[in-house]
Amino acid sequence: MSVFRDLIGDMPGHSQAVFEYADKVQYSANRTEEAETGLRSSRSMTPSWSGASADAYQESIRGQIHDICVLTDGTEEGGKSLLRYAWTLQAHEKRVEELHDELCKLDLQYDAAPDKAAVLPVLIRPAQMITQEYADRVSQAKEAAEVCAAELRNALDLEPVNRRGNGANVGESQDLTEEDIARINRELDNLDFNNVRQGSIGDCYYLAALMAVMRHEKGRDWLRSCITPHYDESGKQDGYLVTVYDDPLHPDEEAKQTVLVTDVYAHGATNLDGSPSVISIFESAYGQLHPGGTLGGSDDGISGDWGQEALQDVTGNSADRIDGNGNYSESQRQEIIDSVAQHHPATAETSTAPRDHFDDDGTAEASVQLPDGSTQKIVIYGGHEYAVVGADESGVTLRNPHGANRTPSGVGVDGTFTMSWEDFGYYYGGVEVGEIP
């Protein structure tokens, strides 16, 4: 009679299939390395060729060699990650087989007992321990699979080139150094939304959402919970596993992805002193999820989107929008005030404000109050997103993700400012309000 043996199932997954796939990935790495050698050889095949077309050819080859080197290294790392996962899964599979045998032995003891009612309570305790170990191993295997998936995504990620007018590639990345990781680990204990500076990437909406969440203690705890240290084979921390509530490739499915970050954007968001930060880690994870990297939204990248979407991607909770339409009503103003008072993260955008409220260059000048109490005229940017850091009957306080504002004469001033409701309604088309889990 089977009382215990069906209490657990098989271990999800198939280690042998993973081993076989790891072999295929390693084979691909070898072939990619051969292609890299061929490309390098092709650079010297036309020694007499010179001029603009030759220079363009050499530049193209250099770019291809760089990309194929990244792919070769990434494929090798991907193969290693798959092997680690396969060995882990195999160990769990073997142990689950042993657990099945132990449950079958409990069935034999139960069947052989003359007084089954008396022996049943004695056998239930070891059966419970077995089922708990099975559940723990399934959970551990699932976690290992998520880490492997994150490692594969990181290893095989090829960041699209995004060149600006000066020739700089906005999508260029830089590895996290030991000093970066040590500093970011310290920063996690003291997150400060004021210590954020947007780089050359047009992701102000995402940075503003992170800053809005970071304003609150509950939000800081939430952001910490989304970051886990990642260690290499030697046990040394080499990056972070970041949870992002977005899945651009499958927008209709539950959005929760684990992303491995071992490098950040060289021209991306930083601390005010220019050093990579927690914000840099989130930005890198967000860009890695999007096929277009730092390109615009029309190219499936992270440049140019909305705070409402970003708040959802940061928190996993829905977000609402309050449309100003050039002027916020009394009830809308109170809704914004109440949301801020209740510690809901909020951002404000200038993208949907009337275009004639801005000059031809997309900027406007507004008189605001700075944190030191002084009145100052600053430049307001159209198509930009700001974090809402305060609101009351007299006006709205905002923080620029650039970390500073500038005066019409080009002087840099504090990134935080307060403006009247009238001016706010004139320049800001909408306010997005989220909810911290």
Side-chain angles (χ1 to χ4, degrees), residues 184 187-193 196 206-229 240-245 278-279 281-283 310-316 345 436-437:
I184 291 170
E187 183 189 342
L188 281 167
D189 294 328
N190 188 31
L191 296 175
D192 183 1
F193 74 95
V196 173
Y206 184 63
L207 303 182
L210 286 167
M211 292 164 64
V213 172
M214 198 180 291
R215 281 190 59 240
H216 310 288
E217 182 177 357
K218 184 179 179 182
R220 292 190 289 273
D221 288 340
W222 172 252
L223 293 179
R224 292 186 192 102
S225 74
C226 294
I227 295 180
T228 304
Y240 300 88
L241 292 167
V242 183
T243 302
V244 181
Y245 291 83
V278 171
I279 287 288
I281 298 300
F282 276 102
E283 182 183 57
L311 286 168
Q312 294 174 171
D313 294 344
V314 172
T315 66
I436 301 170

Side-chain angles (χ1 to χ4, degrees), residues 71-89:
L71 184 59
T72 300
D73 293 342
T75 307
E76 288 180 350
E77 288 300 317
K80 292 177 182 177
S81 177
L82 284 166
L83 278 177
R84 288 194 295 272
Y85 173 55
W87 284 115
T88 298
L89 185 58

